[in-house]
Amino acid sequence: MSNEAKIPYKIYLSEDEIPKQWYNVRADMKNKPAPLLNPGTLNPMSFDELRPVFCDELIKQELDDTTAYIDIPQEIQDFYKMYRPSPLVRAYCLEKALDTPAKIYYKFEGNNTSGSHKLNSAIVQAYYAKQQGLKGVTTETGAGQWGTALSMASAYLGIDCKVYMVKVSYEQKPFRREVMRTYGASVTPSPSMDTEIGRKINAEHPGTTGSLGCAISEAVEVATKTEGYRYVLGSVLNQVLLHQSVIGLEAKAALDKYGIKPDVVIGCAGGGSNLGGLISPFMGEKLRGEQDYRIVAVEPASCPSFTRGKFAYDFCDTGMVCPLAKMYTLGSNFIPSANHAGGLRYHGMSPVLSQLYHDGYMEAISVEQTSVFEAAEQFARVEGILPAPESSHAIRAAIDEALKCKETGEEKTILFGLTGTGYFDMVAYQKFNDGEMSDYIPTDAELEASFAKLPKVD
Amino acid sequence: MSNEAKIPYKIYLSEDEIPKQWYNVRADMKNKPAPLLNPGTLNPMSFDELRPVFCDELIKQELDDTTAYIDIPQEIQDFYKMYRPSPLVRAYCLEKALDTPAKIYYKFEGNNTSGSHKLNSAIVQAYYAKQQGLKGVTTETGAGQWGTALSMASAYLGIDCKVYMVKVSYEQKPFRREVMRTYGASVTPSPSMDTEIGRKINAEHPGTTGSLGCAISEAVEVATKTEGYRYVLGSVLNQVLLHQSVIGLEAKAALDKYGIKPDVVIGCAGGGSNLGGLISPFMGEKLRGEQDYRIVAVEPASCPSFTRGKFAYDFCDTGMVCPLAKMYTLGSNFIPSANHAGGLRYHGMSPVLSQLYHDGYMEAISVEQTSVFEAAEQFARVEGILPAPESSHAIRAAIDEALKCKETGEEKTILFGLTGTGYFDMVAYQKFNDGEMSDYIPTDAELEASFAKLPKVD
């Protein structure tokens, strides 16, 4: 306890201790994630086939499953210094409120204007686009964190940024849109009339409010048809998990300073960018047999790709113009209820995490929306940070673990990822405050209908 | 330059270095700020006269103009550790963008959910209310930062919080309102029908959208008429400047670590809470003749209390139920154009700062809204933080100072206060992005008409 008392509320690394290399967990995986497939030939996508869509250096990172450490360019290291290292917080106040013997830590990635960890990869993808001499990048955004992060990175580097924003979000989250515009991005509601796929979807579904899968299709089309542009993506891809490894590397370095090993590492999971980044160095030790950790993915019960999805090849987008990825998926046609507030609405899951889950290296649980907001409110009131709905899935799971410790008396050390803040999610909080939030769990029949449309590959 | 290179992007103090005492600049002032007057008798308000409105310990702090250092209770120190020390940032990217030889530092107070420095005093006022065995506190809020901060502090301590929110803000900023509700506060649009003064104002001005001065009157009425409640205020008062001295004490400690003396210290000024806190230890050295600093207050041209106001006794509120304060004022009836976005719309100014300005210890300038947003956008794009409109007044002035250095070649060191983030101000940013923002400067005739209604005291 005397040593215990010395742990500050927030463990900050110095700027010198920001990682100088990303860690590529694939290098330590015996079963590598399955390759992306060309949707036409069903053969693995080659470097050359990917070049019209992605920047060259990023394709190299996407395909590299053997190099364990990859240098972070100096300019990106300098950018990281604007908002990193992010704090590792000891949740003393939450522990006290729960009256638990558990020790709770969270890695807080929300202290930057994008409001989340997304900036860690946005700056990298924008950087390599600029290095390649490109004019700009295109992307999609749903909840808006990724679009904001990419706008910020693009403004900093002086390249152009075109964001296709799911129409319902564009209309319901005008402030997110304005943040992106303030950073100089052009923001178009999707489906738009600017693209072939957008016009097709608008014709087939008049009045549609769009989906993430549809916005991806539009952003890819624009990137491939516009001279000097490439497409970038904020989650799912191997390269994104690589960039996000800074979260876990910093968290582990901070814990190592105090000789702390977490018993359980918890992260929310949509496409996997945060979870993959947070767990990477811990998973590395586990894969190499050096240390064991429980690693838990938390997903919404409304969009349960790990816990109820199929491990199969599927399209990454609705328009079926993107490569196929082997992942836990609910089917690229699956659309969770619009009532659900979180940004964890993607039908698929990172191929890296999918393989690790399939091989038994991690667990997954699903939690319901109202219980997530209860946890969010409790956390906000004692820890002082209003969390994003996405992050609050991890809070729910961490609180439940800590309450189990209270029952058993175990002094477990819990680490979770607090990916961001909820300042642009107040419509959802309002629903919760007004008692108008409900839960949504897809039926088996709904999922079976979606699975029936999966492409026949395996 | 070799020593120079060692200064990190963000200078963080350790948690042990958070101030353990507040600094009371009044102790070093030869000409003390004039006392609050009873609006009925025009005699200085005594401790007993203030007791129905304010908590006892806070009245002591309000009236104490001789004790230089006042201990910060341990529970408040612990709360500060949740979000302090705040970073002192070297604005390397802004310097580069401006191509200036100036060295720019800013003390960033926005990395907490209230989004500003207001939490520094909110926790203190809520703490002493709880210590006194009270049930709760009442207050007003305009832009919403103060109401949010007080809601957070009250939730943490488990006391009740009633916020009267200027009606126009209540309607235009529903998300601010929801943050407060998430922290358990009750939020009432002002003028309401709950109070005598509210009913009176509603009857006299049907359809009014309210004002800060009116919301103050309502909050004071509720506090004095409800058993177990007191009123608290986020600016203007001497006690608030005392609590906010943590900003300046931390900033100075961080600069001292690197042997840096700022040539000029710049802060935005509404009621004076941020400016007074930021400058306090620098002003202390100046008052004691130990070191000279240029100290600059920046106010909106639309609400120019320092630069165009009168130094006179005036009411702090519209309902004229509060004590009179001697301050630079535009008249308690003055209401700046609703078009103006900032939260610096208060008609008066801290009596401490007013006296210091009157005695020549600081300068004041006013800046126009569109140029403030230009500075805000430039800053956001290179420094990565989307600033609050209020804070952006200081950014405008700091950039202008740095550009002067570029002309003259002087390597001045500039310190400014970045009080908060603009995430709840996107309506104003949208106006700016759409080219629909305009400037507003009151005419001499408008001001003269307002001055004519000042109470006759001196």
Side-chain angles (χ1 to χ4, degrees):
Chain A
M1 281 305 280
S2 59
N3 188 36
E4 183 66 14
K6 286 178 197 161
I7 297 172
Y9 280 61
K10 299 181 297 303
I11 307 177
Y12 273 106
L13 300 174
S14 74
E15 280 169 19
D16 294 340
E17 294 170 304
I18 294 175
K20 293 174 179 58
Q21 297 184 307
W22 294 296
Y23 167 61
N24 184 4
V25 74
R26 287 169 287 164
D28 286 311
M29 290 169 69
K30 270 178 225 160
N31 299 327
K32 307 291 184 189
L36 297 172
L37 299 188
N38 182 315
T41 66
L42 298 187
N43 288 325
M45 294 288 286
S46 68
F47 180 83
D48 284 335
E49 284 175 315
L50 288 165
R51 289 192 71 195
V53 180
F54 296 119
C55 303
D56 293 356
E57 193 62 32
L58 293 167
I59 302 172
K60 284 185 204 159
Q61 294 180 356
E62 190 65 27
L63 299 176
D64 182 349
D65 57 14
T66 55
T67 311
Y69 289 93
I70 293 176
D71 288 343
I72 304 176
Q74 187 60 47
E75 197 168 347
I76 296 173
Q77 287 189 41
D78 288 343
F79 186 87
Y80 279 165
K81 287 177 191 167
M82 278 172 50
Y83 69 102
R84 307 200 67 81
S86 70
L88 180 75
V89 185
R90 173 71 185 266
Y92 284 119
C93 301
L94 181 62
E95 291 171 18
K96 192 176 158 199
L98 297 174
D99 188 23
T100 176
K103 293 165 183 59
I104 309 174
Y105 294 84
Y106 56 91
K107 180 70 170 167
F108 180 43
E109 292 287 317
N111 266 355
N112 71 76
T113 285
S114 81
S116 81
H117 65 294
K118 294 288 185 184
L119 198 52
N120 300 329
S121 182
I123 185 61
V124 186
Q125 299 193 47
Y127 171 81
Y128 286 121
K130 188 179 182 184
Q131 286 297 103
Q132 196 172 320
L134 298 173
K135 285 184 206 156
V137 288
T138 72
T139 199
E140 77 295 328
T141 202
Q145 285 100 329
W146 168 247
T148 309
L150 190 68
S151 304
M152 290 177 65
S154 299
Y156 182 82
L157 294 169
I159 65 169
D160 192 29
C161 177
K162 295 181 192 293
V163 179
Y164 285 81
M165 186 171 189
V166 177
K167 194 178 273 176
V168 62
S169 297
Y170 182 90
E171 286 163 2
Q172 289 183 354
K173 293 188 145 187
F175 297 165
R176 269 280 180 213
R177 182 186 76 208
E178 287 309 318
V179 177
M180 291 185 256
R181 288 183 69 209
T182 301
Y183 283 93
S186 78
V187 187
T188 307
S190 167
S192 73
M193 297 303 280
D194 298 358
T195 65
E196 244 174 70
I197 187 79
R199 287 188 291 272
K200 182 162 173 276
I201 293 171
N202 272 315
E204 287 171 5
H205 307 278
T208 178
T209 54
S211 73
L212 207 52
C214 163
I216 294 175
S217 301
E218 286 207 278
V220 170
E221 182 183 324
V222 172
T224 51
K225 290 187 177 170
T226 315
E227 179 70 26
Y229 282 76
R230 291 294 184 283
Y231 169 72
V232 299
L233 180 64
S235 194
V236 183
L237 296 175
N238 300 335
Q239 60 185 271
V240 175
L241 268 71
L242 175 72
H243 308 151
Q244 294 293 359
S245 67
V246 292
I247 305 172
L249 292 167
E250 279 187 11
K252 189 160 186 308
L255 289 172
D256 284 350
K257 282 204 170 185
Y258 291 88
I260 301 161
K261 294 277 178 200
D263 295 294
V264 52
V265 183
I266 297 171
C268 62
S273 66
N274 153 67
L275 181 68
L278 174 68
I279 68 174
S280 60
F282 303 100
M283 183 60 83
E285 289 192 346
K286 189 165 176 167
L287 289 166
R288 298 189 300 271
E290 295 163 10
Q291 180 82 28
D292 197 21
Y293 301 97
R294 267 185 69 210
I295 294 176
V296 182
V298 192
E299 58 185 14
S302 61
C303 194
S305 25
F306 270 137
T307 51
R308 295 176 68 197
K310 294 265 187 239
F311 187 44
Y313 266 107
D314 192 11
F315 290 98
C316 294
D317 66 328
T318 309
M320 304 185 181
V321 300
C322 289
L324 299 175
K326 188 170 182 188
M327 56 188 176
Y328 279 86
T329 179
L330 298 167
S332 66
N333 287 287
F334 178 80
I335 297 180
S337 162
N339 179 49
H340 192 268
L344 308 175
R345 292 163 55 87
Y346 189 64
H347 67 275
M349 181 56 68
S350 141
V352 168
L353 295 179
S354 293
Q355 189 65 50
L356 289 167
Y357 179 64
H358 185 70
D359 291 343
Y361 287 103
M362 45 188 279
E363 307 163 28
I365 58 172
S366 74
V367 290
E368 294 184 28
Q369 179 168 239
T370 47
S371 76
V372 165
F373 275 81
E374 280 163 18
E377 186 191 85
Q378 181 173 22
F379 181 84
R381 292 188 182 185
V382 296
E383 287 289 319
I385 297 169
L386 187 86
E390 296 84 346
S391 326
S392 304
H393 287 70
I395 297 175
R396 174 76 274 161
I399 288 178
D400 289 344
E401 280 290 332
L403 290 175
K404 270 185 230 158
C405 289
K406 186 178 174 182
E407 276 179 32
T408 62
E410 287 173 289
E411 293 189 19
K412 279 190 188 168
T413 297
I414 299 167
L415 167 66
F416 73 90
L418 189 71
T419 54
T421 50
Y423 307 142
F424 292 93
D425 298 287
M426 296 317 297
V427 170
Y429 272 99
Q430 181 169 1
K431 270 194 187 172
F432 178 72
N433 292 336
D434 290 340
E436 288 170 5
M437 181 169 275
S438 59
D439 291 315
Y440 163 74
I441 302 176
T443 63
D444 288 341
E446 275 179 88
L447 294 182
E448 287 307 324
S450 182
F451 295 150
K453 292 181 196 160
L454 283 172
K456 309 288 175 241
V457 177
D458 306 271
Chain B
M1 279 305 277
S2 60
N3 187 36
E4 182 69 13
K6 286 180 198 162
I7 296 172
Y9 281 63
K10 299 181 296 306
I11 306 177
Y12 272 107
L13 300 174
S14 73
E15 281 169 18
D16 293 340
E17 294 170 304
I18 294 175
K20 292 175 181 56
Q21 297 184 308
W22 294 296
Y23 167 62
N24 183 5
V25 74
R26 286 168 287 165
D28 285 310
M29 290 169 70
K30 272 177 222 159
N31 299 327
K32 306 292 184 188
L36 297 172
L37 298 187
N38 181 314
T41 65
L42 297 186
N43 289 325
M45 293 288 286
S46 68
F47 181 82
D48 285 335
E49 284 176 314
L50 288 165
R51 291 192 70 196
V53 181
F54 296 119
C55 303
D56 293 357
E57 192 62 33
L58 293 167
I59 301 172
K60 283 185 205 160
Q61 294 180 356
E62 189 65 28
L63 300 176
D64 182 349
D65 58 12
T66 54
T67 311
Y69 289 93
I70 293 176
D71 288 342
I72 304 176
Q74 186 60 47
E75 195 167 349
I76 296 173
Q77 287 189 41
D78 287 343
F79 185 87
Y80 280 165
K81 287 177 191 167
M82 277 172 51
Y83 68 102
R84 306 199 69 81
S86 69
L88 180 74
V89 185
R90 173 72 184 268
Y92 283 119
C93 301
L94 180 62
E95 291 170 17
K96 192 176 158 198
L98 297 173
D99 189 23
T100 176
K103 292 163 184 60
I104 309 175
Y105 294 85
Y106 56 92
K107 180 70 170 167
F108 179 43
E109 292 287 318
N111 265 355
N112 72 75
T113 285
S114 82
S116 81
H117 65 293
K118 294 288 185 184
L119 198 51
N120 301 329
S121 183
I123 186 61
V124 186
Q125 298 192 49
Y127 171 81
Y128 286 121
K130 189 179 181 183
Q131 286 298 103
Q132 198 172 318
L134 298 172
K135 285 184 206 155
V137 288
T138 73
T139 200
E140 77 295 328
T141 202
Q145 284 99 331
W146 168 247
T148 309
L150 190 67
S151 303
M152 289 177 66
S154 299
Y156 181 81
L157 295 169
I159 65 170
D160 193 28
C161 178
K162 294 181 192 295
V163 180
Y164 284 81
M165 186 170 189
V166 178
K167 195 178 274 177
V168 62
S169 297
Y170 182 90
E171 285 162 2
Q172 288 182 356
K173 294 186 146 189
F175 297 165
R176 270 279 180 215
R177 182 186 76 208
E178 288 308 319
V179 177
M180 291 184 258
R181 288 183 70 209
T182 301
Y183 282 93
S186 78
V187 188
T188 307
S190 167
S192 74
M193 296 304 278
D194 299 356
T195 65
E196 246 174 66
I197 187 77
R199 287 188 292 272
K200 183 162 173 276
I201 293 171
N202 272 316
E204 286 171 5
H205 307 278
T208 178
T209 54
S211 73
L212 207 51
C214 164
I216 293 176
S217 302
E218 286 208 279
V220 170
E221 183 183 322
V222 171
T224 52
K225 290 186 177 170
T226 314
E227 178 70 27
Y229 282 76
R230 290 295 184 281
Y231 169 71
V232 299
L233 180 63
S235 194
V236 183
L237 296 176
N238 301 334
Q239 60 185 270
V240 174
L241 268 71
L242 175 72
H243 309 151
Q244 294 294 359
S245 66
V246 292
I247 304 173
L249 292 166
E250 279 186 10
K252 189 160 186 310
L255 289 171
D256 284 349
K257 282 203 172 188
Y258 292 87
I260 301 162
K261 294 277 179 199
D263 295 295
V264 52
V265 183
I266 298 170
C268 62
S273 67
N274 154 66
L275 181 68
L278 175 69
I279 68 174
S280 60
F282 303 101
M283 184 59 84
E285 289 191 346
K286 188 165 177 168
L287 289 166
R288 296 189 302 269
E290 296 163 8
Q291 179 82 28
D292 197 21
Y293 303 96
R294 267 186 69 211
I295 294 176
V296 182
V298 192
E299 58 185 17
S302 61
C303 194
S305 26
F306 270 137
T307 51
R308 295 177 68 198
K310 294 268 188 237
F311 187 44
Y313 266 107
D314 192 11
F315 290 98
C316 294
D317 65 330
T318 308
M320 304 184 181
V321 300
C322 290
L324 299 174
K326 188 168 182 187
M327 56 188 178
Y328 279 87
T329 178
L330 299 166
S332 65
N333 288 288
F334 178 80
I335 297 180
S337 161
N339 179 48
H340 192 269
L344 309 175
R345 294 162 53 89
Y346 189 63
H347 66 276
M349 182 55 69
S350 142
V352 169
L353 295 180
S354 292
Q355 189 64 50
L356 289 167
Y357 179 65
H358 185 71
D359 291 344
Y361 288 103
M362 45 188 277
E363 307 163 28
I365 59 171
S366 74
V367 290
E368 293 183 28
Q369 181 167 237
T370 47
S371 76
V372 165
F373 275 82
E374 280 163 18
E377 185 190 86
Q378 181 173 22
F379 180 85
R381 291 188 183 186
V382 295
E383 287 289 321
I385 296 169
L386 187 87
E390 297 85 346
S391 327
S392 304
H393 287 70
I395 297 174
R396 174 75 273 161
I399 288 178
D400 290 345
E401 280 291 332
L403 290 175
K404 271 185 230 158
C405 289
K406 185 178 176 180
E407 276 179 32
T408 61
E410 287 173 289
E411 292 189 20
K412 279 190 189 169
T413 297
I414 299 167
L415 167 66
F416 74 91
L418 187 71
T419 55
T421 51
Y423 307 142
F424 292 93
D425 299 287
M426 296 317 297
V427 170
Y429 272 96
Q430 180 168 2
K431 270 194 186 171
F432 177 73
N433 291 336
D434 290 339
E436 288 170 5
M437 181 170 275
S438 59
D439 292 315
Y440 163 75
I441 302 176
T443 64
D444 288 341
E446 274 179 87
L447 292 182
E448 286 307 323
S450 182
F451 295 149
K453 292 181 195 160
L454 282 172
K456 310 290 175 239
V457 177
D458 306 271

